[in-house]
Amino acid sequence: MNDRIALYHAYARRESDVLPGGTAADLDLDGLLCRVDRTSSFVGKQYLYHLLHRDARSEVGRHEEVVRAFQADPAWRADVRRSLARTRQADAGYICSLFSSDIGALSPRWVDAVGVCRFLPLCWLALMFLAPHVAWLYLLALNLAVHFVLHYQSKKKIYEYYHSIPQTRQLLRQAEELVGEERLARLQQTGAPVRADKLRAIRKQLRVFSLGVKLDGDFAILAYTLVELVNIFLLAEYYAVHRSLLCLRREKAWLEDVFRLVGLTDVLCSLSLLREELPCWCVPSWLPVPGTLQAEDVYHPLVENAVPNSFSLSGRSALITGSNMCGKTCFIRTIGVNVVAAKALNTCFAHAFACCPDVRLLSSIQHTDRLAEGRSLFLQEALDIRYMLEESVRHPCLLLVDEPFGGTNSTERIAICTAVLERLAQNNNTVFVTTHDWELQQALESCYDCYHFSEQVGEQDLAFDYRLRKGKVTQGNAVRILGVYGYPPEVVEKAQRMVGRGNG
């Protein structure tokens, strides 16, 4: 199922504006898709997946009036959703294969020749009655043998497109209903408009595929046999199949426009429902200058009862400290998810959110070693961050880095982090980095604002408020946390004395 959802994105993606796979995994975009998806069709689901995996502003923001129209008229929205549900089956995921790959059709001249020559059996029969001769019978038998072979070759084509073309007919019927809606007129792509008469004509042209499927399943054996004999005798199915494939090959660009029209309509309809369900949302404000990011009460949509936080950065980056489980990593994921949603859906999970749309989003959060390739955890992270360094020089970036270079000793880690993070913060980049190394607060104070999360450690438990606070921290709670979770008192006391000596 997930492979089918990604089929359209695999075709339509451009390397210049696609989110790297590592960033998509870091931000759990599959989970985000499940959270925001209210689409009625599989086509809409594929289009939504594509938008969420692009690192560029989508066309959704240009059609806010359509989203508002859906919200203002629930009855009309319900009618549109019923129409969109025609392609709700997962088989509709194969529709995009018709314009993303080559269609194996005959040449136009061959199809025209077949259209004429398929009536030869009638000629041989007429000659047998008008000028009886055994030669006509031999020619008729040879002709029917050729028809028999060609007919069952057409069956292979029908089975090859068994999933995609019947669903494409449903797509065309959907589009035919949608293009008549005045409120959806602005969704048409630039260029030749999608017209209802052409949709009907193409849908009729593709009827042979749906008919073949229906005959295989529903008609009685006798009726099926009679139809097969007629199709073999006049080569009707073979001719109709290749005319249909030729039509699809000729109209590939137009069919993609139809696909995008239906997908965009479904995404806008889905967005109108999502916004009604969200506890808090806003339309993002777009800033002209990279290096600036502002948020008021921003939260993560996948976290139940998420605690909102606010911040403002302009020409600076953010260094975030705090103990484990206090919310550091979740916070930088929150930033990334909201930037993705802002660009893809023109919607943020916040009271207010402002960023520059022209920055690339990159992250280094989850790391796993690749032993089969000889890459340790440290090496894999080093390669990911090297990619960040290279990209951040080419164009402004928003970079999310979680506890960098944790796989080495503290002396080298602090030295590497200082050098790398200083470099990443240049060129109008904005960096959100989490760390346990307090020494970096002073080493990076020229380009990073310091933030932290904290917790209250009681006698028996921990209390986290998940609130982002501005400022440095100079003392941790890790040793006390061990005491809460039952470590031997002598171990905790010795660790606390060593920490005290280190601070002194």
Side-chain angles (χ1 to χ4, degrees), residues 128-186:
M128 287 174 63
F129 284 104
L130 296 174
H133 194 282
V134 69
W136 310 134
L137 181 60
Y138 288 139
L139 287 171
L140 176 62
L142 179 62
N143 203 163
L144 290 178
V146 172
H147 279 205
F148 182 86
V149 172
L150 293 178
H151 173 74
Y152 282 98
Q153 283 182 351
S154 72
K155 288 292 184 188
K156 292 181 181 179
K157 287 294 182 184
I158 288 177
Y159 294 139
E160 182 181 347
Y161 296 100
Y162 181 89
H163 300 286
S164 56
I165 292 184
Q167 289 295 319
T168 299
R169 293 190 74 239
Q170 295 296 332
L171 177 74
L172 298 176
R173 181 172 293 181
Q174 282 179 339
E176 190 177 333
E177 295 172 356
L178 295 175
V179 295
E181 290 285 350
E182 184 178 350
R183 285 175 284 190
L184 299 178
R186 292 190 61 186

Side-chain angles (χ1 to χ4, degrees), residues 474-493:
T474 56
Q475 126 178 10
N477 292 320
V479 176
R480 284 189 288 163
I481 289 173
L482 298 183
V484 169
Y485 281 93
Y487 271 61
E490 60 273 17
V491 171
V492 175
E493 290 172 5

Side-chain angles (χ1 to χ4, degrees), residues 197-215:
D197 57 343
K198 186 173 182 179
L199 290 163
R200 281 192 297 272
I202 302 296
R203 182 161 55 87
K204 185 177 180 180
Q205 184 84 44
L206 302 179
R207 184 172 55 187
V208 62
F209 286 87
S210 296
L211 182 62
V213 172
K214 187 175 289 185
L215 284 172

Side-chain angles (χ1 to χ4, degrees), residues 214-228:
K214 187 175 289 185
L215 284 172
D216 286 339
D218 298 337
F219 279 26
I221 295 176
L222 180 59
Y224 175 76
T225 303
L226 290 174
V227 171
E228 284 290 280

